[in-house]
Amino acid sequence: MSTLDFTLPNAQGDMISLSDFRGKKVIVYFYPKDSTPGCTTEACDFRDASAAFAAKNTVILGISADSQKRHQNFISKYELPFELLSDVDHAVCEQYGVWQLKKNYGKEYYGIVRSTFLINESGELIQEWRSVKVKDHVSEALSFLEQSN
């Protein structure tokens, strides 16, 4: 198992591994919380571009520390056509270095720093975007994919 590989439950409780997608590129995006404004925008941007990613042989996986039930509601409400995985103990977030100390309104807490990783068909990391700003991020990722083909 590579250091990038992981196995997490999806919204239905099925175990999904990164290695399940060998032969395809995989966008793995980490986001703070279902149904918050920035995370909703990001998920909907990925949803709206999902056909373009699929045309580039690329699967989208979203990961947060939310429960499977929250993921089910989020997927249903926004008709998300990709898997959302639950990392409730944030082990995969720590593995990818996105579980970090954050500050908001003078309070410090640990949480997910919005980040996206592009994994190639062999399971190797080929691009990472850290501390992502939601606006234009999905189009940047898609442009990178188009340029790298």
Side-chain angles (χ1 to χ4, degrees), residues 52-79:
F53 281 103
K56 297 287 180 198
N57 194 36
T58 304
V59 173
I60 300 166
L61 299 175
I63 299 177
S64 77
D66 289 307
S67 68
Q68 294 168 350
K69 181 69 176 151
R70 280 190 67 99
H71 281 342
Q72 288 171 8
N73 294 340
F74 194 45
I75 289 167
S76 175
K77 184 173 183 178
Y78 295 102
E79 299 178 358

Side-chain angles (χ1 to χ4, degrees), residues 3-149:
T3 57
L4 292 175
D5 207 8
F6 58 80
T7 301
L8 289 171
N10 68 5
Q12 292 73 39
D14 299 323
M15 299 307 285
I16 305 293
S17 297
L18 180 61
S19 58
D20 295 343
F21 302 100
R22 291 293 187 270
K24 293 183 179 286
K25 292 184 184 90
V26 183
I27 286 278
V28 180
Y29 83 95
F30 291 87
Y31 65 98
K33 193 169 184 69
D34 289 344
S35 299
T36 56
C39 297
T40 299
T41 298
E42 184 178 30
C44 290
D45 287 351
F46 274 117
R47 175 199 65 202
D48 295 347
S50 62
F53 281 103
K56 297 287 180 198
N57 194 36
T58 304
V59 173
I60 300 166
L61 299 175
I63 299 177
S64 77
D66 289 307
S67 68
Q68 294 168 350
K69 181 69 176 151
R70 280 190 67 99
H71 281 342
Q72 288 171 8
N73 294 340
F74 194 45
I75 289 167
S76 175
K77 184 173 183 178
Y78 295 102
E79 299 178 358
L80 304 178
F82 48 82
E83 299 282 7
L84 296 182
L85 307 180
S86 292
D87 187 19
V88 292
D89 64 0
H90 41 82
V92 175
C93 293
E94 289 180 28
Q95 176 184 335
Y96 277 73
V98 302
W99 187 257
Q100 298 176 16
L101 187 63
K102 298 169 79 173
K103 290 182 181 178
N104 195 18
Y105 300 113
K107 294 187 182 201
E108 289 189 350
Y109 60 96
Y110 278 90
I112 294 173
V113 174
R114 190 182 312 277
S115 303
T116 300
F117 300 84
L118 178 59
I119 314 298
N120 72 10
E121 295 87 345
S122 304
E124 300 163 325
L125 176 68
I126 56 173
Q127 179 66 22
E128 58 185 75
W129 296 268
R130 293 189 176 265
S131 299
V132 166
K133 301 291 182 238
V134 172
K135 184 174 171 34
D136 299 325
H137 171 59
V138 171
S139 58
E140 287 171 25
L142 193 54
S143 292
F144 180 86
L145 258 178
E146 289 168 348
Q147 293 166 8
S148 65
N149 276 351

